[in-house]
Amino acid sequence: MSSRDENGHAPWPEGYGRVVLDSVDSTMAEAVRRAPDIDQPTWIMAKTQTAARGRRGRPWVVPQGNLNATLIFRPEATPLEAAKRSFLAANALFQALAIYVPAEKLALKWPNDVLLSGGKVAGILLESSGQGRFVDWLSIGIGVNLCHVPEGVTDASFAPTSLKAAGGWDVEPADFLYTLADAYATQEAKLQRFGFGRIRDDWMAKAARLGDMITARTGREEVTGIFDSIDNDGNLVLITGTGPRAISAAEVFF
């Protein structure tokens, strides 16, 4: 991580744009609208969202004071390579949150959540578009519960929490975005220099329940086994009674 400026910000990463909006339906939807015109990776942050969503189209409750942001860019990447950016985003979120709360309270939950003292503090959503070998664009949506715990969330696998509720420092969304953007740029630099193996190793060093028995529920089955690793494609690898199983998409339960 780079040194911080006189205002306590991490420096804004070179080559990245930033758009801050008062209100929008969702930063993911705004990213799609802006995708044809972007000329550099661009972070879009909104103070409020009126129609935010999470994985599988689920509503994402975002009280004002929490972070709502999307990074939109054009990586030279196949759809599979683009999807691996969820691990870069998770590593960056871990590093950013660890500025404001002890790192030992944080853990990364496959495939795209960050846990704080066992509760969900942040989520990641990826979308891409393209018909050829490479994606035309990739958007990485990130929601972080900084100040508020969303109310009315009754069907979550892991109860939501917030940075403030878990004893972390108070931080404004705009300030947190500086820290996150700097951390994400560092992850992209690591990917370019060392490859996904380095990203994978960094993610696994912070993984929740690595080596423990967990359950993965896909759309077709429920698989229980020992959480062994993630493979080079980002799949969850469980050791089951019938041998190793690589799972590409699932809900994970501890």
Side-chain angles (χ1 to χ4, degrees):
M1 298 286 285
S2 303
S3 61
R4 307 176 82 76
D5 66 18
E6 64 274 12
N7 297 317
H9 289 148
W12 190 257
E14 183 178 355
Y16 285 73
R18 181 173 75 256
V19 175
V20 178
L21 305 170
D22 285 332
S23 181
V24 74
D25 50 356
S26 79
T27 57
M28 293 294 278
E30 183 67 13
V32 173
R33 290 189 287 266
R34 291 177 182 255
D37 301 318
I38 61 166
D39 58 5
Q40 62 180 339
T42 300
W43 284 95
I44 301 169
M45 190 191 92
K47 296 176 184 177
T48 60
Q49 294 186 113
T50 59
R53 55 192 167 81
R55 290 182 68 224
R56 301 181 181 179
R58 294 169 179 162
W60 177 263
V61 182
V62 280
Q64 190 166 359
N66 290 349
L67 179 76
N68 320 294
T70 295
L71 174 64
I72 176 79
F73 64 117
R74 294 191 177 96
E76 188 173 311
T78 65
L80 177 59
E81 291 166 342
K84 294 178 185 180
R85 255 66 178 201
S86 65
F87 296 98
L88 279 71
N91 287 343
L93 269 170
F94 188 102
Q95 294 299 329
L97 285 162
I99 298 293
Y100 306 101
V101 71
E104 58 268 20
K105 292 186 176 184
L106 298 164
L108 301 179
K109 175 178 169 287
W110 186 91
N112 54 13
D113 292 337
V114 183
L115 303 181
L116 172 56
S117 298
K120 180 175 176 178
V121 70
I124 301 162
L125 177 66
L126 267 65
E127 291 183 349
S128 63
S129 177
Q131 301 298 320
R133 179 186 174 195
F134 295 133
V135 300
D136 291 335
W137 53 261
L138 172 69
S139 59
I140 304 175
I142 293 176
V144 185
N145 300 331
L146 296 174
C147 299
H148 305 289
V149 178
E151 297 179 356
V153 180
T154 59
D155 61 346
S157 305
F158 292 79
T161 188
S162 73
L163 185 67
K164 186 174 182 178
W169 294 1
D170 286 336
V171 56
E172 292 295 321
D175 295 335
F176 187 83
L177 183 62
Y178 269 81
T179 304
L180 176 60
D182 182 52
Y184 185 83
T186 298
Q187 290 296 313
E188 280 287 344
K190 283 185 177 181
L191 178 66
Q192 298 307 317
R193 183 169 183 180
F194 302 112
F196 181 69
R198 173 65 177 271
I199 304 298
R200 170 186 174 274
D201 290 348
D202 288 349
W203 188 94
M204 286 182 56
K206 308 172 187 73
R209 298 300 181 91
L210 187 67
D212 291 349
M213 193 74 71
I214 66 173
T215 297
R217 294 178 186 167
T218 72
R220 299 172 300 173
E221 61 179 334
E222 184 174 290
V223 182
T224 297
I226 296 172
F227 178 13
D228 179 69
S229 64
I230 60 170
D231 66 19
N232 287 328
D233 290 331
N235 297 318
L236 176 71
V237 178
L238 299 182
I239 305 300
T240 73
T242 58
R245 286 284 305 273
I247 298 168
S248 61
E251 295 284 345
V252 168
F253 300 85
F254 301 159

